[in-house]
Amino acid sequence: MKRWLVGAPMSLAQARHERLSKTVALAVFSSDALSSVAYATEEILLVLVLAGSAATHLTLPISFAIAGLLSVVAISYQQTIHAYPSGGGSYIVARANLGPTPGLVAAAALLIDYVLTVAVSVAAGVAALTSAFPPLVNHRVVLGVFFITAIAFGNLRGVRESGRIFAVPTYLFIGTLGLLVAIGGARWLLGDLPVVPPNAVEPATTSLTWFLVLRAFSSGCTALTGVEAISNGVPAFRPAESRNAAVTMGWMAGILGVLFLGISGLTSVMGIMPAEDQTVISQLGRALFGQGLFYYLIQGSTTLILVLAANTSFADFPRLSSLLARDRYAPRQFRTMGDRLVFSNGIVILAGAAILLILIFQADTHALIPLYAVGVFISFTLSQAGMVRHWLKEHESGWRWRLCINGIGALVTLAVTLVIAMTKFTHGAWIVVLLVPLMVLGFRAIHKHYELVAAELSLDHLTEEPPVENTVLVLVGDLHMGVVRALRYAQSLSPSPKAVFVEVDPTWTARLEDRWSKGGCGVPLIVLASPYRSMLGPLIGYIDRIARRTPSSVVTIVIPEFVPRRWWQHLLHNQTALLVKGALLFRRRVVVVDVPFHLET
Amino acid sequence: MKRWLVGAPMSLAQARHERLSKTVALAVFSSDALSSVAYATEEILLVLVLAGSAATHLTLPISFAIAGLLSVVAISYQQTIHAYPSGGGSYIVARANLGPTPGLVAAAALLIDYVLTVAVSVAAGVAALTSAFPPLVNHRVVLGVFFITAIAFGNLRGVRESGRIFAVPTYLFIGTLGLLVAIGGARWLLGDLPVVPPNAVEPATTSLTWFLVLRAFSSGCTALTGVEAISNGVPAFRPAESRNAAVTMGWMAGILGVLFLGISGLTSVMGIMPAEDQTVISQLGRALFGQGLFYYLIQGSTTLILVLAANTSFADFPRLSSLLARDRYAPRQFRTMGDRLVFSNGIVILAGAAILLILIFQADTHALIPLYAVGVFISFTLSQAGMVRHWLKEHESGWRWRLCINGIGALVTLAVTLVIAMTKFTHGAWIVVLLVPLMVLGFRAIHKHYELVAAELSLDHLTEEPPVENTVLVLVGDLHMGVVRALRYAQSLSPSPKAVFVEVDPTWTARLEDRWSKGGCGVPLIVLASPYRSMLGPLIGYIDRIARRTPSSVVTIVIPEFVPRRWWQHLLHNQTALLVKGALLFRRRVVVVDVPFHLET
């Protein structure tokens, strides 16, 4: 079953072949960033429209500001790619240059945003789908969960196959949206652009303040999420990795900027307002091309790229978790690659968290947006600040102008982080602002624990010790072939094992002692009195007395255990064994051994 | 915590003192039977009223028929008590005289009815409470669950304390209801009885057929549930047990008959109709005494006895389960007494099942009634039939007239069983008719399993065998003090243990081999190659090769396991150990031993 879903295991030698060409890498790492075109303009509009329809003329200026921000961030990250060819995620850069805590803050912020990327992208993808096929609107949550599960399985299969799967929809999206922007632009130049009559003139529910404009800007900044993906994934590029990655970063930023500005511009000049039942892109497509084949192609490719955008996170979340685990900040099971050369545990955790968000927020993009982007900009800021420190230490060629670029990047992204956190605080950003420090505390607690354990386990504590004095006891309640098997096993562990019986009913003791002479295998039977019919009290007392005798004493308790053939038969056996095991599990210098007796019946 | 709720443990020597005087025994064993007065008349009325208000004149004749049935059953059971002084429940009598299957049918029927007794009594008790305090009606389910839980804890404390708790409300109920019947009867003789004006003349929704009359009779037969309780509990009486139990049975039947006929008679002559919001007893009390102190005393004692009636089942259900377990028809954990001399497992299961019924039927007495009584009458019939066979075999003094009494009892209860099953089949009795054979099949499956296991475990299979050839392997992934502890422990089990390492990453192997020379304790390290990074595949292959070597080969796998101090730290460790344990648990001739390493940090 697992093999059929996930594929045959792959040896480590196959890892080298999993490198990506620039065109495939653009599809794998840029789908998140590019796909945000599908909702960024709409989120700006949704805020501005609170101050009435007239306020929406600010959409284009705000979009230009965001495009400017995009170019600053992209150029900043190209410096990072050159400085960190082995993968320069914010965590690595901030940790290396600013210290462990800033690194962990960046890591926490990024992990949160990877989860949100999956949830937001899938929710927006479902919205694009239901715009085209309105009857599906009631199944949003089910569709969202289905898409996340499908992507998770795709990723569990491994990275190059992922690349192949994702290349087609990404280029289809770039093609169809590019065509939409180009044709729309041409018709605007020719004065042939249709104007959409507004459904209703939106009444202003608030006045147009600077705060509202900044909130609209914050919402639009979701367009930048995912831009950093390439810098994390440099080692997945073909050699020369850094150069290829930086070029791909440039392509991506250019395509993203053009599409985003094109959509915002067309929306503005055509007077499109956000609607309950349709996305802005869907309205644009219908107005420009009618509800024909090309309209469905736009909606289809938008849905696909949004759903697949989540894939960016499925590449990065497990990679970042494994870095954290390598540095002992996360549970060590995130560190191991599965048998398909991907970090399976990270993939599963990410899918689970994103499905949870889809369920809680009922697959509603607008409800998720305020949580989004805060984390990304925190990590942008820390990454750029780290690069500033980097250039101050490493005086490579061109370090002065690189320092300048990263310095500007750091200041701009810091300002945007504060704007987003403040304008969206009450709408949900507080959750992230609260979660980041909590996660950092968690990372540090895990780290401290692993460090202390490592110290405790260090071979420096190795001393000459006398051999372990092992007393082997077989716990019996009766004498039958299962017990005989356990007695014989105990005799293979120790030359002088003893059998221990807790006497609840004295008449039973006499019967047992009688049978013991026949099948006791020469093992002496010790009877412990139990006036209150408790199994455990007398047993634990007896064991403790032996275990405390000398520092090298250990007591091994052998328990015969039935292994029945059917599940319901478990209910009919082993209750006492379970009880004893539970009670002795956490006792020092006591080892419990089950000797299985496989029932044939 | 458990001690405070349940009390200190008691030794078996204390068991003797837990015997009951006749007056206390009446309270403990009769509360179920007596309390049915609170709803039996109402259930008759609820059926008759379907044929219109006029049909309710049949209430008193039907009640007389039921009272006659009660005397037949009570006198029958007095014979049983004499013949089975050690406790003559239907299971024992049917099994001893008719064979195992009839015995199991009786047992299944009784177990079902004990659960229903708890559910119906508690539901009716809550109804009596909400009649007096209508605002509580929305909390019926919560009240029901609370009462069941409280009774269960009372019973977990032990039987004599239970007796003390239950004596006061039982006698209070007999006193207040007796006074109600006496005063009502006196006022009727004086011609002073108030007539309740009907809320509305009930329209007939069906015609008054013989089937309807029999259905009303069936509903009224719930008055007889619990009559058999005393015959199960003979050993709990003070000596001479049989005589005392038989006398108590007579008292109980007399009191029950008088109260039931009194209530039915007063209801008839006063023209009381069943109502949604009030029980019939509550209407009687209000009409005769006004809503004063005595009214609240009636409702209070009715609530109390009904809620405590469930106690009869809490004495009998665990006792019957333990008998079944002793005969290997039920899981053996029902057999053991807890440290307060009660069969704790039976008490817990009964409480759980009754709470489930309360939740499913929303604490509605009328919805539960059709399931009730079928089981009781099945067991009555089998018990009396068994007694007929008993007297035919054992010719004690008076066996001829005792045979006649039990013969009449058997025929009458068989007829009533058929009437109940048929008239109530579609209303819910089908559930019981289906459940009884299923439970019997379950009992037989358990019995067969235990018998086969016993045969397999029999010491007849004991043969001379060569000593076990035990190969002790320590599974390692690293070398640290936890592993050193495991290696030293392994050396106490075998003169030549080996360490096994599954190589996932060859660079790690070199590092491990280097460290091994320092801390390996002289144990040889075996490296198993794993091209696909699977832990389990190579390990299981290696183990299987050793285990199959000779018939006396056993492989002991020693796994070092961390025991952290805090729960969340478990998530950070032992994932591999858990995986390996799970995979090897059901393998033959493989024993897994965890050597705990208690972390100090």
Side-chain angles (χ1 to χ4, degrees):
Chain A
M1 180 70 176
K2 183 189 161 200
R3 285 290 149 249
W4 179 78
L5 284 169
V6 176
M10 298 161 90
S11 84
L12 211 58
Q14 287 177 260
R16 193 78 199 158
H17 301 285
E18 299 290 328
R19 295 304 189 88
L20 307 173
S21 69
K22 286 202 286 289
T23 36
V24 174
L26 185 70
V28 169
F29 290 117
S30 308
S31 53
D32 174 20
L34 293 178
S35 68
S36 41
V37 170
Y39 51 82
T41 303
E42 180 162 355
E43 295 298 330
I44 298 171
L45 275 172
L46 272 168
V47 176
L48 290 176
V49 89
L50 295 174
S53 310
T56 58
H57 73 273
L58 287 172
T59 305
L60 196 54
I62 288 174
S63 297
F64 269 106
I66 291 167
L69 180 62
L70 168 64
S71 58
V72 170
V73 170
I75 296 171
S76 279
Y77 264 108
Q78 283 181 325
Q79 313 316 314
T80 312
I81 289 170
H82 280 293
Y84 287 89
S86 62
S90 304
Y91 168 63
I92 302 220
V93 174
R95 187 170 147 74
N97 296 296
L98 304 176
T101 304
L104 293 177
V105 172
L110 276 174
L111 288 178
I112 292 172
D113 250 74
Y114 291 146
V115 175
L116 280 162
T117 297
V118 177
V120 168
S121 301
V122 167
V126 171
L129 191 66
T130 56
S131 295
F133 303 101
L136 289 176
V137 81
N138 293 324
H139 306 291
R140 289 193 310 186
V141 174
V142 173
L143 284 169
V145 171
F146 168 77
F147 284 133
I148 293 174
T149 314
I151 303 167
F153 275 110
N155 275 278
L156 287 172
R157 290 190 70 93
V159 69
R160 195 170 56 175
E161 291 185 6
S162 308
R164 251 186 260 137
I165 295 174
F166 294 107
V168 176
T170 304
Y171 287 108
L172 192 67
F173 177 78
I174 294 172
T176 50
L177 268 274
L179 213 58
L180 180 135
V181 168
I183 291 176
R187 286 176 70 178
W188 176 67
L189 287 171
L190 298 171
D192 178 35
L193 208 58
V195 170
V196 178
N199 316 355
V201 177
E202 300 282 338
T205 59
T206 176
S207 54
L208 185 63
T209 57
W210 268 107
F211 188 80
L212 197 76
V213 173
L214 289 174
R215 225 183 103 195
F217 171 80
S218 300
S219 289
C221 281
T222 50
L224 267 74
T225 54
V227 165
E228 82 293 352
I230 290 177
S231 71
N232 292 316
V234 182
F237 280 78
R238 294 206 182 127
E241 290 88 350
S242 286
R243 228 196 75 81
N244 286 332
V247 170
T248 309
M249 171 73 94
W251 287 0
M252 187 199 68
I255 295 168
L256 173 57
V258 168
L259 291 182
F260 175 56
L261 286 175
I263 301 287
S264 289
L266 286 174
T267 306
S268 274
V269 291
M270 288 167 69
I272 286 172
M273 291 293 145
E276 270 288 301
D277 56 339
Q278 265 200 72
T279 63
V280 163
I281 302 271
S282 168
Q283 293 183 63
L284 265 182
R286 279 204 180 134
L288 282 173
F289 305 103
Q291 199 157 346
L293 190 67
F294 194 67
Y295 165 76
Y296 284 109
L297 198 61
I298 293 170
Q299 289 308 104
S301 65
T302 307
T303 303
L304 266 180
I305 199 175
L306 275 164
V307 166
L308 302 184
N311 189 56
T312 311
S313 295
F314 276 94
D316 284 333
F317 182 99
R319 192 173 279 141
L320 180 53
S321 314
S322 86
L323 287 179
L324 284 171
R326 190 199 59 190
D327 295 342
R328 293 183 171 173
Y329 286 109
R332 63 180 64 173
Q333 47 269 48
F334 286 108
R335 197 175 163 185
T336 2
M337 280 203 204
D339 51 19
R340 291 285 294 181
L341 299 181
V342 291
F343 299 104
S344 326
N345 286 324
I347 291 171
V348 171
I349 296 277
L350 173 62
I355 286 174
L356 198 68
L357 282 181
I358 288 288
L359 296 177
I360 292 174
F361 290 92
Q362 291 291 298
D364 180 1
T365 318
H366 311 318
L368 285 161
I369 285 289
L371 282 76
Y372 203 24
V374 194
V376 167
F377 276 87
I378 291 174
S379 77
F380 283 173
T381 309
L382 288 166
S383 169
Q384 303 312 321
M387 288 309 295
V388 170
R389 278 288 293 273
H390 176 81
W391 300 123
L392 287 174
K393 288 186 294 182
E394 314 277 332
H395 292 184
E396 295 170 25
S397 74
W399 68 273
R400 281 171 217 275
W401 63 267
R402 290 182 196 268
L403 174 68
C404 273
I405 289 173
N406 285 129
I408 293 166
L411 289 175
V412 169
T413 50
L414 175 64
V416 174
T417 306
L418 295 175
V419 166
I420 296 177
M422 279 188 293
T423 57
K424 306 216 134 193
F425 192 80
T426 53
H427 299 90
W430 67 270
I431 299 174
V432 177
V433 171
L434 194 73
L435 209 52
V436 168
L438 287 179
M439 286 175 67
V440 171
L441 288 177
F443 293 149
R444 295 176 67 112
I446 290 170
H447 191 69
K448 193 179 163 197
H449 175 75
Y450 278 137
E451 294 287 309
L452 288 172
V453 168
E456 200 178 330
L457 294 178
S458 159
L459 290 184
D460 301 342
H461 301 298
L462 198 67
T463 50
E464 276 299 313
E465 277 179 30
V468 172
E469 273 178 48
N470 198 346
T471 308
V472 177
L473 302 178
V474 184
L475 186 63
V476 300
D478 193 358
L479 184 59
H480 51 60
M481 287 308 289
V483 174
V484 169
R485 166 108 26 123
L487 292 172
R488 286 178 175 158
Y489 176 80
Q491 284 172 325
S492 81
L493 298 183
S494 160
S496 55
K498 288 175 203 157
V500 177
F501 170 70
V502 179
E503 174 184 81
V504 172
D505 175 357
T507 58
W508 187 258
T509 312
R511 182 174 171 274
L512 179 64
E513 279 171 338
D514 188 47
R515 290 161 68 85
W516 203 263
S517 58
K518 182 180 170 197
C521 306
V523 176
L525 179 68
I526 290 162
V527 178
L528 303 176
S530 174
Y532 300 108
R533 291 170 317 292
S534 154
M535 272 295 300
L536 288 177
L539 182 66
I540 289 177
Y542 182 73
I543 291 168
D544 280 353
R545 278 196 299 282
I546 300 174
R548 288 205 199 100
R549 233 182 253 159
T550 71
S552 57
S553 295
V554 168
V555 179
T556 300
I557 311 289
V558 176
I559 303 182
E561 187 159 0
F562 294 118
V563 182
R565 288 162 70 96
R566 289 167 213 276
W567 66 267
W568 61 269
Q569 296 170 344
H570 280 277
L571 299 174
L572 307 178
H573 298 289
N574 299 329
Q575 309 306 322
T576 312
L578 213 68
L579 192 75
V580 173
K581 264 159 78 177
L584 295 177
L585 195 63
F586 295 106
R587 265 192 136 66
R588 275 153 201 276
R589 295 154 67 192
V590 175
V591 176
V592 179
V593 182
D594 296 318
V595 179
F597 186 87
H598 293 263
L599 293 172
E600 303 295 332
T601 47
Chain B
M1 180 70 179
K2 182 190 161 196
R3 286 289 150 251
W4 179 78
L5 283 169
V6 177
M10 299 161 88
S11 83
L12 210 61
Q14 288 175 264
R16 193 78 200 158
H17 302 285
E18 298 291 328
R19 296 304 189 87
L20 307 172
S21 69
K22 285 201 288 288
T23 37
V24 174
L26 185 69
V28 169
F29 291 116
S30 308
S31 53
D32 173 22
L34 293 178
S35 67
S36 43
V37 170
Y39 51 81
T41 302
E42 181 162 353
E43 295 298 332
I44 297 172
L45 274 172
L46 272 168
V47 175
L48 290 176
V49 90
L50 295 173
S53 309
T56 58
H57 74 272
L58 288 172
T59 306
L60 197 55
I62 289 174
S63 298
F64 269 107
I66 291 168
L69 179 62
L70 168 64
S71 58
V72 170
V73 171
I75 296 170
S76 280
Y77 265 109
Q78 283 181 324
Q79 313 316 315
T80 312
I81 289 170
H82 280 294
Y84 288 90
S86 62
S90 303
Y91 168 63
I92 302 217
V93 174
R95 186 171 148 72
N97 296 296
L98 304 176
T101 304
L104 293 177
V105 172
L110 275 174
L111 288 178
I112 292 172
D113 250 76
Y114 291 146
V115 174
L116 280 162
T117 297
V118 176
V120 168
S121 301
V122 167
V126 171
L129 191 67
T130 56
S131 295
F133 304 100
L136 289 176
V137 81
N138 293 326
H139 305 291
R140 287 194 311 186
V141 174
V142 173
L143 284 169
V145 171
F146 168 78
F147 284 134
I148 293 174
T149 315
I151 304 168
F153 275 110
N155 275 278
L156 287 172
R157 292 189 67 94
V159 67
R160 195 168 58 173
E161 292 184 8
S162 308
R164 251 186 259 137
I165 295 174
F166 295 108
V168 175
T170 305
Y171 287 108
L172 191 68
F173 176 79
I174 294 172
T176 50
L177 267 275
L179 212 59
L180 180 136
V181 167
I183 291 176
R187 286 176 69 178
W188 176 66
L189 288 173
L190 298 171
D192 178 31
L193 206 59
V195 170
V196 176
N199 316 355
V201 177
E202 300 283 338
T205 58
T206 176
S207 56
L208 185 64
T209 58
W210 267 105
F211 189 81
L212 197 76
V213 173
L214 287 174
R215 226 184 103 195
F217 171 80
S218 300
S219 289
C221 281
T222 50
L224 267 74
T225 55
V227 165
E228 82 293 351
I230 289 177
S231 71
N232 293 315
V234 182
F237 281 77
R238 293 205 183 128
E241 290 87 350
S242 287
R243 228 195 74 81
N244 285 333
V247 170
T248 310
M249 171 73 94
W251 285 0
M252 186 200 68
I255 296 168
L256 172 58
V258 168
L259 291 181
F260 175 56
L261 286 175
I263 302 287
S264 289
L266 286 173
T267 306
S268 273
V269 293
M270 287 167 69
I272 286 172
M273 291 292 144
E276 270 287 302
D277 56 340
Q278 263 200 72
T279 62
V280 163
I281 302 270
S282 167
Q283 293 183 63
L284 265 183
R286 278 205 178 130
L288 283 172
F289 305 104
Q291 198 159 348
L293 189 68
F294 194 68
Y295 166 75
Y296 284 109
L297 197 62
I298 292 170
Q299 288 309 103
S301 65
T302 307
T303 303
L304 266 182
I305 198 172
L306 274 164
V307 166
L308 302 184
N311 189 59
T312 311
S313 295
F314 275 94
D316 284 334
F317 183 99
R319 192 174 279 142
L320 179 54
S321 315
S322 86
L323 287 179
L324 285 171
R326 189 200 60 190
D327 296 343
R328 296 183 169 172
Y329 286 108
R332 62 181 66 173
Q333 48 269 50
F334 285 108
R335 197 176 165 185
T336 2
M337 281 202 204
D339 51 19
R340 293 285 294 182
L341 300 180
V342 291
F343 299 104
S344 325
N345 287 324
I347 291 172
V348 171
I349 296 277
L350 173 62
I355 286 174
L356 198 68
L357 281 181
I358 288 287
L359 295 177
I360 293 174
F361 290 92
Q362 291 291 298
D364 179 2
T365 318
H366 311 317
L368 286 162
I369 285 288
L371 281 77
Y372 203 26
V374 194
V376 167
F377 275 88
I378 291 174
S379 76
F380 282 173
T381 309
L382 288 166
S383 169
Q384 303 312 322
M387 289 308 295
V388 170
R389 279 288 291 274
H390 175 82
W391 300 125
L392 287 173
K393 289 187 292 182
E394 314 277 330
H395 293 183
E396 295 170 28
S397 74
W399 69 272
R400 280 170 216 276
W401 63 266
R402 290 181 195 270
L403 174 68
C404 274
I405 290 173
N406 284 129
I408 292 166
L411 288 176
V412 170
T413 50
L414 175 65
V416 174
T417 306
L418 294 175
V419 167
I420 296 177
M422 280 188 291
T423 56
K424 307 214 132 194
F425 191 81
T426 54
H427 298 91
W430 66 269
I431 299 175
V432 178
V433 171
L434 194 73
L435 208 52
V436 167
L438 287 180
M439 285 175 69
V440 171
L441 288 178
F443 293 149
R444 294 176 70 112
I446 290 171
H447 190 70
K448 193 179 165 199
H449 174 75
Y450 278 138
E451 294 285 311
L452 287 173
V453 169
E456 199 178 332
L457 293 179
S458 160
L459 289 184
D460 300 343
H461 302 297
L462 197 67
T463 49
E464 275 300 314
E465 276 180 30
V468 172
E469 272 176 50
N470 197 345
T471 308
V472 176
L473 302 178
V474 184
L475 185 64
V476 300
D478 193 358
L479 183 61
H480 52 59
M481 288 307 289
V483 174
V484 170
R485 166 107 27 123
L487 292 173
R488 285 178 175 157
Y489 177 80
Q491 285 173 323
S492 81
L493 299 182
S494 159
S496 55
K498 288 176 205 153
V500 177
F501 170 70
V502 180
E503 174 183 81
V504 172
D505 176 358
T507 59
W508 187 258
T509 312
R511 182 174 171 274
L512 179 64
E513 280 170 339
D514 187 48
R515 290 160 68 83
W516 204 263
S517 59
K518 182 180 170 195
C521 307
V523 176
L525 178 68
I526 291 162
V527 177
L528 303 176
S530 174
Y532 299 108
R533 294 171 315 292
S534 154
M535 273 295 302
L536 288 178
L539 182 67
I540 289 177
Y542 182 74
I543 290 169
D544 280 354
R545 279 195 298 280
I546 301 174
R548 289 206 198 101
R549 229 182 258 160
T550 71
S552 56
S553 295
V554 170
V555 179
T556 300
I557 311 289
V558 176
I559 303 181
E561 186 160 0
F562 294 118
V563 182
R565 287 160 69 95
R566 290 167 214 276
W567 66 265
W568 61 267
Q569 296 170 344
H570 281 278
L571 298 175
L572 307 177
H573 298 288
N574 298 330
Q575 310 305 322
T576 312
L578 213 68
L579 193 74
V580 172
K581 264 158 79 176
L584 295 176
L585 195 64
F586 295 106
R587 263 191 139 65
R588 275 152 202 274
R589 294 155 68 194
V590 175
V591 176
V592 178
V593 182
D594 297 316
V595 179
F597 186 86
H598 293 262
L599 293 172
E600 305 293 333
T601 47

